[in-house]
Amino acid sequence: LLLKRGDERAYSFLGDDYKVGRGVPQSEKLAVYFYEMGAKKGNIRALMQWAELLLDKEDYKGALSKYAQALDFAKDEKKRFEILEWLASTALVTEGYEKLAAYYIYQIPDKKRSALAWYTLGLAYCNAKEGGYVQRNFENEAYCFVQAQELAKGIDEELFLYAQGAVSGEEYAGVIPEFPHSPFEDEALKTDAEALALSLK
């Protein structure tokens, strides 16, 4: 009915139905077809659901690509920050794109970062490798995990415990957390990050 009315949301809903076989025969091929149709109309939900399907298949680069496309269509600030979080957490587990995690999180103002955003940024510093956009830095890691812990307390018990466990590590003993400086003060690094992010689209 929504489709007949020209409502673009229908594509993502139909994609969901075919993905799980709700009221129709289960078909991943048709799920992708409807998500793609929605994506062509700029429907963010279709792109997000498509990315989720790709994550289930462990196609992380494919999921990154769909999230990046969704970000292009997102106008609402809250939705943009949500997509940036998904981009960052997916980048962390995508070979060759791990260093983009910090790049995406730094697009969210520090005062508006969620507990998950701070935790993801902490992991980006913790897992930093040579040649990445961030360098291993105990103060930055500790600061990010402490922020995640404080924001998650009483709201997300699982994330709170993860952050608490991360910041209680032996390597942080005696560390006084300081605010992490942006790794993108270096214009060359910023340009390189933007080029890598652009390659996903």
Side-chain angles (χ1 to χ4, degrees), residues 64 88 90-103 124 127 129 132-134 196:
L64 270 179
T90 305
L92 273 179
V93 295
T94 308
E95 188 176 354
Y97 292 84
E98 305 96 328
K99 56 188 178 181
L100 275 181
Y103 170 73
N127 300 336
K129 297 176 182 176
Y133 298 138
V134 292
L196 186 59

Side-chain angles (χ1 to χ4, degrees), residues 163-175:
Q164 186 181 56
V167 82
S168 64
E170 205 174 291
E171 66 265 38
Y172 301 115
V175 169

